[in-house]
Amino acid sequence: MTGELSPIDKAKFVAAKRAVDFIEDGMRVGLGTGSTAAWMVRCLGDLVRNDGLKIKGVPTSTRTAELARDVGIEVVTLDEAKWLDLTIDGADEFDQELNLIKGGGGALLQEKIVATASDQMIVIADVGKEVESLGAFPLPIEVIPFGWKTSKSLAEELLVSMDVLGQDVTLRMNDDKPFVTDEGNYILDLHLGRIGNPHQMAMVLNQIPGVVENGLFIDICDVVILGYGDGRVETRDINEGTIAQDRLEFEGSDNLFTDLQD
């Protein structure tokens, strides 16, 4: 039950629970990827099954698609949906301007495409994801396998002239093999420490031959919902310039999420 969850999982749960309040009947909704987004998909599935909510979900990864189907959400492709009312996703980091680093789960390409095809993007996160400056979390870039070492070398050369603290670039691995995305690409992780100019970084990285997309989400997120381990929820709307605070009570019957793993 939720009472048995760790504080970090309680924070994820309440953020997810608050986020699904934004979803209305008939909406086309982008479904994010990652541990926090998984809580949201489960919450949404509960509304579909028990409250009769009718939506179409566009997942950002194969694992999110599988989870959505398992909990009863109708899954469609982005091409079928054409445009989305809302996308809800997690983040690895976000700053005060609601710029994000995403891609820790390796789904950054689909996540960015889905988010930018939406009228609104809501990010759900625990309070530990907020940072003064982006970059402590490694910045992922998705590259095609052909010539990935060349793309890596070009990224390392580029970083010499950028306002960052670190310049180490590593290939993401899955055991003893390169991690492969849903699109069959590789991920390079940039260990930067701090990114002085995220806007510039996002633009120049995509100019490197072989780079498909980077994990900087700049001027895409509209709302961040922060969860706390004691049930508090803070909703920040950058367009409205508002901050709302609330608290969600944990019910003993809320045992829907106990099998979720980080």
Side-chain angles (χ1 to χ4, degrees):
M1 292 184 295
T2 53
E4 300 168 350
L5 295 176
S6 67
I8 189 71
D9 283 336
K10 289 180 182 178
K12 293 177 181 181
F13 171 74
V14 295
K17 193 86 167 176
R18 171 60 72 232
V20 298
D21 290 341
F22 285 77
I23 299 175
E24 300 175 2
D25 205 56
M27 277 189 169
R28 295 159 295 179
V29 182
L31 307 175
T33 294
S35 61
T36 310
W39 294 82
M40 176 273 299
V41 174
R42 288 295 183 99
C43 288
L44 190 52
D46 191 37
L47 293 177
V48 169
R49 293 191 309 274
N50 298 327
D51 293 0
L53 181 70
K54 298 184 185 304
I55 64 162
K56 296 181 186 297
V58 175
T60 55
S61 66
T62 54
R63 59 186 181 276
T64 295
E66 292 172 358
L67 176 59
R69 292 189 182 98
D70 286 345
V71 299
I73 298 172
E74 180 183 355
V75 171
V76 299
T77 67
L78 182 58
D79 289 337
E80 290 171 330
K82 296 184 175 61
W83 195 259
L84 305 178
D85 299 286
L86 176 66
T87 286
I88 302 176
D89 205 345
D92 299 304
E93 283 186 348
F94 73 92
D95 63 17
Q96 291 184 348
E97 296 178 352
L98 304 196
N99 295 316
L100 321 170
I101 286 182
K102 289 181 52 57
L108 65 99
L109 178 57
Q110 289 190 28
E111 288 173 334
K112 187 174 283 190
I113 292 172
V114 169
T116 53
S118 305
D119 288 336
Q120 186 180 40
M121 182 190 189
I122 295 176
V123 162
I124 50 178
D126 60 86
V127 68
K129 300 297 176 64
E130 183 174 11
V131 295
E132 186 173 338
S133 299
L134 297 176
F137 190 92
L139 172 63
I141 58 176
E142 186 161 341
V143 299
I144 65 171
F146 176 81
W148 73 265
K149 290 184 178 180
T150 299
S151 299
K152 178 176 180 290
S153 296
L154 291 171
E156 291 169 338
E157 291 179 12
L158 172 70
L159 293 178
V160 173
S161 61
M162 301 297 290
D163 182 10
V164 295
L165 292 180
Q167 300 170 6
D168 188 30
V169 180
T170 59
L171 176 67
R172 187 177 299 184
M173 303 295 291
N174 183 13
D175 295 327
D176 60 345
K177 297 180 180 179
F179 175 89
V180 179
T181 70
D182 281 354
E183 289 74 34
N185 297 320
Y186 293 168
I187 295 285
L188 297 177
D189 287 311
L190 282 55
H191 304 266
L192 307 178
R194 180 186 61 83
I195 303 173
N197 191 333
H199 291 76
Q200 180 189 39
M201 179 71 72
M203 288 189 294
V204 299
L205 284 174
N206 282 8
Q207 303 306 310
I208 297 174
V211 172
V212 181
E213 190 52 83
N214 69 82
L216 283 166
F217 283 51
I218 307 297
D219 299 329
I220 296 175
C221 176
D222 300 286
V223 176
V224 164
I225 300 177
L226 279 178
Y228 294 78
D230 61 359
R232 286 180 296 135
V233 181
E234 183 173 289
T235 303
R236 302 181 190 175
D237 188 320
I238 195 167
N239 298 316
E240 298 294 332
T242 58
I243 299 177
Q245 296 183 337
D246 194 5
R247 182 184 296 272
L248 298 182
E249 297 298 329
F250 297 113
E251 298 179 7
S253 59
D254 277 329
N255 57 5
L256 181 63
F257 314 103
T258 55
D259 59 341
L260 283 176
Q261 301 295 321
D262 286 338

